[in-house]
Amino acid sequence: MAELDAEHDACAAALAELARTRSVDTLRALIKLYEAHFAHEEALCDAYVYQRTVDPGDASSFNADENARKSHYADHARLLDALREQAACGDAQVPAAFIDATLRGFEGHANRYDDAYAPRLAAALAAGAG
């Protein structure tokens, strides 16, 4: 969990830098941070939190972990898509309203998704599960 906490801190620092500079280069650096962090987080979650999957032979089966996984990872894609779209639009500076929405998006994601998996991941890592 310390690695993910450090990655979250790096993302927060990059977001603060983006708010300060409104630089497209800073936005591009944030995209790279998000890509690396989300890939790492997804790998850990797949190994320790979302390892159960719905049996494809039982269509009536409901698996809360599978649904949480899909929505969590879709939110990663949504956050990245917004950043990539803004980076590609050709603005000289990143609009302040976009930065505000990006800050709120990162915070909302952490509150909605990351806080939900964190206790299970920490327990699994502490137990050496996987």
Side-chain angles (χ1 to χ4, degrees):
M1 287 298 295
E3 288 178 53
L4 288 181
D5 289 342
E7 290 171 14
H8 283 141
D9 290 345
C11 289
L15 285 162
E17 180 69 7
L18 180 62
R20 187 182 69 74
T21 67
R22 297 181 53 200
S23 158
V24 176
D25 287 339
T26 303
L27 176 62
R28 289 187 182 113
L30 178 62
I31 291 168
K32 290 183 185 302
L33 274 173
Y34 272 24
E35 288 170 341
H37 167 62
F38 292 160
H40 184 216
E41 182 178 281
E42 289 175 12
L44 286 173
C45 284
D46 281 347
Y48 295 103
V49 178
Y50 301 138
Q51 68 271 39
R52 290 184 328 132
T53 59
V54 175
D55 178 358
D58 183 3
S60 67
S61 192
F62 174 80
N63 184 315
D65 281 345
E66 183 63 21
N67 290 319
R69 180 184 182 273
K70 284 179 186 175
S71 63
H72 185 179
Y73 296 0
D75 203 51
H76 285 167
R78 178 189 66 79
L79 293 170
L80 275 168
D81 287 348
L83 296 179
R84 290 175 180 139
E85 184 178 320
Q86 181 60 48
C89 80
D91 289 342
Q93 282 194 313
V94 180
F98 176 82
I99 294 169
D100 182 58
T102 301
L103 290 165
R104 285 184 286 112
F106 186 74
E107 180 181 17
H109 176 86
N111 292 337
R112 188 176 313 109
Y113 295 102
D114 297 351
D115 287 352
Y117 78 72
R120 287 177 61 193
L121 179 59
L125 290 171

